Structures are given as C-alpha cells and as structure tokens.
Amino acid sequence: DGIHFILSLGIECGFDEKIFDLKNIPSSNTITEQFLQIYQLVGTFKKSRELSDYIAVFECYLQLADLLGLTYEEIKTAYIKKNEVNYKRQNNNY
C-alpha cells in the first residue's frame, strides 16, 4: 500500500512522465529512526511538491524496506498482487 500511495502522489504531481533514478543507499538508521525520517520527508514534500523531495521520500521508504529485510523482488511481487486486489475491489464498487 505504501508504494501505491507514493506512486499515486507522484502521478498527482505530474511526475509520472519524469525519468529519474532512485538510489539504493543503505540506511544507517534504526527502523524507528527510518519511520521518523519518512514522516519528516513527507511533511517537506507536502509543502514543496518538488520532484527532489518526492524522490527523497521514495528513496527513504525503500531504505525502510531494506531495513525490514525486503528485497526488490519481494516488494515488486507484493505490489503487483495488492494492485490486482485493488483493481478487483474497484470493479466491484468496494
């Protein structure tokens, strides 16, 4: 769901056609610190709506996934599965 919401924010801000590279930099934070950093970055992005702040949120969220032991493939697979559920819900007026 988190990836879906981040992607939706990017689309809403018109970043869907922008090409950018997300950096896979390991975090030195604890899991709690990483959550707090995400909240801080979301607040910054909420005010600025700048691409650089959006990228910072996305990268920080992916760092959290790494801290939680999730691989890129696991994230991708879970996103696709959840997205299929969301589409089914939308089609059934859920």
Side-chain angles (χ1 to χ4, degrees), residues 74-91:
E74 289 171 322
I75 294 168
K76 182 179 171 183
T77 300
Y79 173 78
I80 291 169
K81 276 179 86 172
K82 180 63 166 128
N83 210 27
E84 289 171 0
V85 170
N86 290 343
Y87 279 121
K88 287 179 185 175
R89 287 178 176 169
Q90 287 175 355
N91 290 335

Side-chain angles (χ1 to χ4, degrees), residues 40-50 53:
Q40 180 182 25
L41 291 170
V42 167
T44 300
F45 173 68
K46 181 180 177 183
K47 291 177 188 173
S48 74
R49 303 290 227 183
E50 295 289 329
D53 292 328

Side-chain angles (χ1 to χ4, degrees), residues 13-59:
C13 289
F15 302 149
D16 57 327
E17 295 184 23
K18 306 273 187 207
I19 297 173
F20 55 89
D21 290 320
L22 295 173
K23 293 174 184 57
N24 189 10
I25 301 168
S27 177
S28 60
N29 290 336
T30 65
I31 291 172
T32 300
E33 292 168 335
Q34 195 69 23
F35 270 109
L36 294 173
Q37 186 175 3
I38 291 167
Y39 289 128
Q40 180 182 25
L41 291 170
V42 167
T44 300
F45 173 68
K46 181 180 177 183
K47 291 177 188 173
S48 74
R49 303 290 227 183
E50 295 289 329
L51 178 61
S52 60
D53 292 328
Y54 173 77
I55 292 171
V57 169
F58 213 144
E59 288 176 344

Side-chain angles (χ1 to χ4, degrees), residues 27 31 34-35 38 59-69:
S27 177
I31 291 172
Q34 195 69 23
F35 270 109
I38 291 167
E59 288 176 344
C60 193
Y61 194 81
L62 293 176
Q63 287 174 327
L64 174 63
D66 184 59
L67 285 170
L68 293 170

